[in-house]
Amino acid sequence: MTWRPVLARSVVLRYDRVRGTYLLLLPERVVVLHGNAGGVLRLCDGSRAVADVVAELVARFPGAPVAEEVPEFLRTLRKEGWLR
């Protein structure tokens, strides 16, 4: 089965204009995302497999180590319970 990451029901992705970055709003917790993490998570809507997310980011950011970093980032968030 191919994993199509999507935010867990209790997690909300929001852009904070004051901080100029994305936030993950969790029950009783806020996680400040750095770099392109928010952009990566915006692609995690349940319709794309991890390979599709990586392919889209490779097209946007040629030469960036997307293929190595993004799957590990998503696995980490899944372990935290923030992605399903």
Side-chain angles (χ1 to χ4, degrees), residues 32-48:
V32 178
L33 300 174
H34 298 282
N36 292 316
V40 172
L41 291 179
R42 288 187 65 206
L43 297 174
C44 295
D45 58 6
S47 68
R48 297 174 184 90

Side-chain angles (χ1 to χ4, degrees), residues 3-5 9 12-13 16-18 28 33 35 40 52 58 62 78-79:
W3 179 38
R4 296 180 181 278
R9 288 187 177 102
V12 177
L13 179 66
D16 182 356
R17 292 183 204 167
V18 174
E28 301 182 23
L33 300 174
V40 172
D52 300 327
V58 164
R78 188 180 199 184
K79 287 178 190 173

Side-chain angles (χ1 to χ4, degrees), residues 24-31 80 82:
L24 281 181
L25 307 178
L26 308 155
E28 301 182 23
R29 186 172 176 191
V30 175
V31 177
E80 290 290 333
W82 303 342

